Amino acid sequence: MSTERQGPALDKKWDKQTVVVHDCHDERHFGAVTMPMYQNSLFTFSCHKEFYEALDSPLEHHLYSRGNNPSVNELEHRLALLEGGEAARCFASGMAAISAAIMSAVKAGDHVICVDHVYGPTREMLGNYLHRFGIETTFVNGESIESIEAAVRPNTSMLYLESPTSMTIRLQDLRACAELAKRIGATTIIDNTWATPIFQNPLELGIDLVVHSLTKYIGGHSDIMAGVIIGSHERLQEIGRQEFLLYGGIMTPQTACLAMRGLRTLPLRMERLQQNGLAVAAYLDELPYIARVNHPGLTTYPQHELAKQQMSGYGSLFSFEVALPLEQVLTWADRLQMFRIGVSWGGYESLVQVVRPLAGQEGEELVLVRLYAGLEDPELLIQDMCRSFEQLGLS
Ligand SMILES: *Cc1c(COP(=O)(O)O)cnc(C)c1O
């Protein structure tokens, strides 16, 4: 593989930035710096002996791009290295990866435990869609291992985690979850999109499968939709033969090349995004009308100690709960100049979203606001928020 060392061994462990930028000179591609895009649906053979070998083990050969495509394989290899997994498979979106991972771990009659406040469509799939196949899910708080343990049933086959969750930013103790699941023979899956492989590596803590929406930080430029599953060879072989080949929700070679471009600067971007997120969160944490800032990097955050144990850094997506009337909060957010209003996150641009209260919760005391700090100057982000509060007569 192109990422392996050539020449005399260097004795320093590679940091993640080196892992994502270093390619060896590759004679097959005339020494091209970036891997060329393999825009192919099929690959051909010089004789039938080779062809039949490929037909017998399509996942080990280049036969058809709903199987293996070199551009996609290159990205898979790099993502597995970064996450500390043996193998990876890329998909057309985060949800394509998540649904394939879930389906690989359940059968009719099974019970699933999932954390509350998990990504919406994941909740929809586990809470509603899978009912028709006879699969039942219990949603738990997840902040204590006891809350998870109490939900275990004899037929519990999967523990689905998202740490931190992307709206309420709550964590689960990943090591404790992995131990519990091993004890009861259940598969653990985690959505690791928030922390990225740069700041959290759940496989090293005993989790079985990691999924990411590459649409967010890893793509990093708000221009692709993609997902990945990372884990052991054995599990990825099974997923490769079944959910990957049969559902066919594959990644295109163009997307793989764009994701690869995003990946090259991921460690650098995460460093700056972490600083920006912390600066903005620390500013909000001081304001008297803000009841709570949900950012695990703040020392005031209830799960800060757990965050330090299992993560080496922080994403820049967080939320806060504000004690102002909803109308005022909406006006505040609409007047921001540096934050655009929208879903998603992980690109270069800062975003804001005032979470719409559920029916029946309109009169609640606290309004939840989600912020994504992008790559802009954090002082400008803070000034912008400050000015908008001042326009409401608040300081
Ligand atoms: C966006 C997102 C997903 C889904 O990814 P898509 O690429 O949009 O399908 C899953 N989990 C989290 C935490 C996300 O933010």
Side-chain angles (χ1 to χ4, degrees):
M1 264 294 167
S2 59
T3 46
E4 273 149 28
R5 296 174 193 179
Q6 287 178 348
L10 306 171
D11 56 13
K12 186 160 184 254
K13 186 175 183 289
W14 289 21
D15 72 350
K16 287 178 172 169
Q17 185 60 62
T18 305
V19 170
V20 296
V21 297
H22 185 77
D23 297 299
C24 288
H25 182 88
D26 190 338
E27 301 285 347
R28 290 172 306 171
H29 303 120
F30 308 99
V33 166
T34 61
M35 171 122 164
M37 182 166 64
Y38 278 86
Q39 183 70 48
N40 293 271
S41 57
L42 78 153
F43 301 85
T44 57
F45 299 86
S46 59
C47 63
H48 275 79
K49 181 171 173 294
E50 277 179 18
F51 177 45
Y52 291 154
E53 275 170 21
L55 281 181
D56 285 342
S57 49
L59 293 177
E60 275 77 57
H61 293 87
H62 290 107
L63 171 73
Y64 192 51
S65 278
R66 182 171 41 70
N68 282 320
N69 175 283
S71 303
V72 179
N73 294 154
E74 169 70 8
L75 176 67
E76 290 167 342
H77 175 66
R78 209 60 74 106
L79 288 169
L81 268 180
L82 262 193
E83 193 57 278
E86 291 173 351
R89 274 287 173 193
C90 283
F91 291 81
S93 69
M95 270 320 289
I98 288 168
S99 53
I102 290 174
M103 293 311 273
S104 79
V106 293
K107 60 181 188 320
D110 279 353
H111 172 248
V112 171
I113 300 173
C114 178
V115 287
D116 260 339
H117 307 295
V118 72
Y119 182 67
T122 307
R123 189 179 171 106
E124 178 65 20
M125 179 168 186
L126 289 170
N128 291 319
Y129 182 79
L130 287 182
H131 270 271
R132 73 159 97 145
F133 303 104
I135 294 154
E136 239 192 294
T137 298
T138 307
F139 292 94
V140 297
N141 169 290
E143 284 173 65
S144 74
I145 190 69
E146 290 76 22
S147 73
I148 298 174
E149 204 153 5
V152 171
R153 297 184 195 168
N155 58 339
T156 302
S157 72
M158 179 176 87
L159 197 52
Y160 189 95
L161 310 169
E162 189 178 305
S163 183
T165 51
S166 64
M167 196 63 86
T168 51
I169 323 291
R170 299 292 197 270
L171 281 66
Q172 300 100 55
D173 182 334
L174 302 187
R175 209 182 279 279
C177 288
E179 278 167 14
L180 168 64
K182 289 215 162 64
R183 216 162 55 233
I184 62 169
T187 299
T188 40
I189 303 178
I190 185 173
D191 183 331
N192 198 28
T193 306
W194 189 93
T196 79
I198 307 305
F199 292 147
Q200 178 166 268
N201 298 120
L203 298 173
E204 289 169 7
L205 303 174
I207 301 293
D208 296 314
L209 291 173
V210 170
V211 293
H212 287 280
S213 168
L214 307 177
T215 309
K216 312 294 164 55
Y217 283 128
I218 294 176
H221 296 77
S222 305
D223 54 6
I224 58 166
M225 300 212 61
V228 68
I229 308 177
I230 307 167
S232 68
H233 269 306
E234 195 185 343
R235 284 184 191 272
L236 269 293
Q237 279 282 321
E238 256 332 275
I239 291 170
R241 269 194 293 276
Q242 301 192 36
E243 290 77 20
F244 178 77
L245 276 180
L246 302 182
Y247 297 164
I250 59 152
M251 177 184 278
T252 66
Q254 295 99 318
T255 298
C257 291
L258 284 170
M260 193 68 196
R261 167 185 284 212
L263 196 61
R264 303 271 193 205
T265 57
L266 179 68
L268 280 175
R269 285 186 287 110
M270 291 314 294
E271 212 43 60
R272 168 70 181 249
L273 290 165
Q274 161 166 247
Q275 286 170 17
N276 285 9
L278 278 167
V280 173
Y283 157 74
L284 291 164
D285 207 27
E286 294 294 314
L287 300 179
Y289 34 90
I290 292 187
R292 177 184 166 121
V293 179
N294 300 313
H295 190 307
L298 295 176
T299 52
T300 52
Y301 194 66
Q303 291 183 296
H304 180 61
E305 284 308 312
L306 175 61
K308 279 201 298 188
Q309 271 171 40
Q310 61 189 24
M311 292 192 280
S312 58
Y314 306 103
S316 62
L317 179 82
F318 65 98
S319 60
F320 62 93
E321 292 157 50
V322 53
L324 294 171
L326 178 62
E327 279 311 313
Q328 263 197 338
V329 182
L330 291 169
T331 305
W332 173 81
D334 288 352
R335 283 183 182 153
L336 293 172
Q337 290 173 8
M338 303 297 290
F339 294 82
R340 304 213 231 171
I341 301 162
V343 295
S344 197
W345 46 282
Y348 46 83
E349 74 289 6
S350 290
L351 295 165
V352 63
Q353 178 178 158
V354 177
V355 179
R356 190 155 55 173
L358 299 173
Q361 284 181 359
E362 290 93 347
E364 295 271 315
E365 221 181 314
L366 298 176
V367 178
L368 183 67
V369 182
R370 189 174 83 166
L371 279 185
Y372 171 67
L375 289 167
E376 303 91 339
D377 178 351
E379 274 182 43
L380 286 174
L381 298 179
I382 292 169
Q383 271 181 22
D384 188 27
M385 290 190 288
C386 193
R387 187 195 43 89
S388 191
F389 279 127
E390 279 166 10
Q391 286 176 350
L392 293 174
L394 300 161
S395 56

